[in-house]
Amino acid sequence: MEKEFLNQRYKLFACCIPVKGYYRSGIVDINRHKIHIIPHSLFYIIKRYKSKAFSEILKNFNEDETAILIEYLDFLKKNEIVFPVHKEEINRFPTLPLHWDFPSNCSNAILDLGIKSNSNYINCLSQLNKINCFHLQIRLLDIIEIPKIHDMLTHASSLSFHTIQLIIDYRVANSEDFFKDLMKQYWKLSKIEVFNAPMNKFSPVVEPVTLVIFHERKSLNITQCGNIDQRYFSIEMNHFTEAQHFNTCLNRKLCIDENGEVKNCPSMSRNFGHIDNVDLKDIISNPDFTGIWSIRKDDIDVCKDCEFRYVCTDCRCFIKDLDNIYSQPAKCKYNPYIAKWEGEQDYITVEKWREENPTWEKGIKRYPLVKNPQKIDGE
């Protein structure tokens, strides 16, 4: 090998962050919204030999492994995960800080409304405005009269919300153009999801900022949330950093169900009083309400062993063991111990795999060099 090649050093781009799973590891590229799947051996090399000259790394491996090390380096360079750097420049490129904060104690809220709702939506919106809620999702569970919808959106648009999402029944207007016009009329509307539609369709209104999504799904109910799927992965800075410290579904979240009861999530049974009788300022400072915000993926059984844990959503309502708040989401179909999704060849459940591998908690002790790191598009 040429001397120049052997002496070259490489440094990881700050936006490319290694994450270790049980069976395999990954590199999350936050800027490009991608996940690169890598063997543990490459994860180990990155973490232990960062910014070392290639010749220094080779000293720790035998000659037969040299070809694999070169393959690893080619993979990292090709996908722009690393860049060449001189020894004296290494400290000029700090790692990305992974702290997270938000300028409000309520980043998002869900407001459920139906024909039988016994709460005043004006009061609901007013209280959410007072606690500086940034993002609001209004879910209309029944067919609501069009004038009332306009009144509601007009009032909500005048308040502090930065964005508003609307979930609504197609039969409200039976017209695709109605929902697109609604999006154009209220500039704070970022997305409208229409259920009970005659088609499944994505209709950008102001691409890529606003969108109307039509679903053939016939109804909207509280049992439909909590799904864990690659389609819902969020590979971006805010989600990744929040996941280091908080629950990515429930943190700074508040819900008012169709009965006017204040909850962490519409699907949860526990409530903290009726919106007409409580002050949301008191609710979001109540440790009983906020305690669930801090349950991270690193605290949750199975999830803590998954290479996707910082880009995945989470659910503390539908869990496998109702007596353990740190139990795996019940609707997760991924087994990180074999790196397979339900439906893939040789997939088995986590429970069955653990039965067959009683010493699994001892983890992986060796990091043999393995060929062919993978790149998958995580968008």
Side-chain angles (χ1 to χ4, degrees), residues 194-209:
V194 184
F195 63 94
N196 211 14
M199 68 294 196
N200 290 313
K201 183 178 180 180
F202 287 77
S203 297
V205 179
V206 181
E207 194 172 13
V209 181

Side-chain angles (χ1 to χ4, degrees), residues 89-139:
E89 296 176 323
I90 291 174
N91 294 329
R92 297 179 184 177
F93 301 95
T95 57
L96 194 70
L98 296 181
H99 60 264
W100 184 92
D101 203 354
F102 195 81
S104 170
N105 283 330
C106 181
S107 65
N108 66 102
I110 296 175
L111 174 58
D112 281 350
L113 295 171
I115 294 176
K116 297 180 181 180
S117 295
N118 62 0
S119 60
N120 184 326
Y121 70 81
I122 297 295
N123 177 43
C124 296
L125 295 174
S126 176
Q127 285 221 46
L128 289 169
N129 179 66
K130 287 179 181 178
I131 61 172
N132 195 29
C133 175
F134 269 55
H135 309 291
L136 173 66
Q137 183 181 84
I138 300 174
R139 307 197 305 180

Side-chain angles (χ1 to χ4, degrees), residues 86-302:
H86 294 295
K87 183 177 181 179
E88 59 274 14
E89 296 176 323
I90 291 174
N91 294 329
R92 297 179 184 177
F93 301 95
T95 57
L96 194 70
L98 296 181
H99 60 264
W100 184 92
D101 203 354
F102 195 81
S104 170
N105 283 330
C106 181
S107 65
N108 66 102
I110 296 175
L111 174 58
D112 281 350
L113 295 171
I115 294 176
K116 297 180 181 180
S117 295
N118 62 0
S119 60
N120 184 326
Y121 70 81
I122 297 295
N123 177 43
C124 296
L125 295 174
S126 176
Q127 285 221 46
L128 289 169
N129 179 66
K130 287 179 181 178
I131 61 172
N132 195 29
C133 175
F134 269 55
H135 309 291
L136 173 66
Q137 183 181 84
I138 300 174
R139 307 197 305 180
L140 302 181
L141 307 180
D142 299 310
I143 299 175
I144 306 296
E145 295 178 353
I146 291 176
K148 185 174 181 179
I149 294 172
H150 280 289
D151 182 68
M152 185 187 311
L153 291 175
T154 298
H155 188 70
S157 297
S158 69
L159 301 177
S160 66
F161 310 113
H162 288 219
T163 64
I164 301 171
Q165 293 183 4
L166 181 66
I167 300 181
I168 187 171
D169 194 313
Y170 183 83
R171 294 173 296 173
V172 166
N174 287 310
S175 167
E176 183 177 341
D177 289 338
F178 168 80
F179 301 104
K180 292 182 178 180
D181 291 340
L182 205 63
M183 179 73 80
K184 295 174 184 177
Q185 184 172 349
Y186 299 98
W187 65 272
K188 284 191 177 182
L189 277 175
S190 60
K191 183 169 68 172
I192 297 178
E193 291 198 48
V194 184
F195 63 94
N196 211 14
M199 68 294 196
N200 290 313
K201 183 178 180 180
F202 287 77
S203 297
V205 179
V206 181
E207 194 172 13
V209 181
T210 58
L211 181 69
V212 180
I213 306 174
F214 296 90
H215 301 282
E216 292 181 348
R217 187 177 69 235
K218 297 302 179 184
S219 64
L220 176 67
N221 62 68
I222 61 175
T223 65
Q224 291 171 344
C225 72
N227 294 307
I228 307 297
D229 193 285
Q230 291 184 85
R231 294 172 297 174
Y232 307 137
F233 284 176
S234 179
I235 310 174
E236 50 86 29
M237 173 67 76
N238 188 62
H239 188 280
F240 189 90
T241 53
E242 185 178 17
Q244 309 295 314
H245 312 282
F246 300 103
N247 186 279
T248 51
C249 179
L250 298 172
N251 182 41
R252 314 262 180 128
K253 181 177 185 176
L254 184 147
C255 304
I256 304 170
D257 73 8
E258 63 175 324
N259 298 315
E261 294 176 337
V262 181
K263 300 179 177 181
N264 289 105
C265 168
S267 301
M268 290 182 166
S269 58
R270 184 181 183 184
N271 75 79
F272 293 81
H274 194 280
I275 186 64
D276 292 341
N277 304 318
V278 298
D279 190 328
L280 293 185
K281 287 183 179 179
D282 296 330
I283 297 293
I284 60 173
S285 60
N286 182 346
D288 288 338
F289 183 83
T290 62
I292 204 167
W293 291 359
S294 299
I295 298 179
R296 310 169 302 152
K297 283 290 191 179
D298 285 332
D299 302 322
I300 298 170
D301 185 37
V302 184

Side-chain angles (χ1 to χ4, degrees), residues 319-327:
I319 55 180
K320 290 188 175 180
D321 182 358
L322 296 178
D323 295 323
N324 177 14
I325 193 59
Y326 299 101
S327 178

Side-chain angles (χ1 to χ4, degrees), residues 9-12 43-53 56-57 85 90 95:
R9 299 170 187 270
Y10 292 90
K11 189 171 179 66
L12 217 64
F43 176 91
Y44 171 76
I45 291 168
I46 291 172
K47 299 295 283 187
R48 181 165 184 176
Y49 301 109
K50 48 189 173 185
S51 304
K52 296 288 186 181
E56 295 179 55
I57 298 174
V85 63
I90 291 174
T95 57

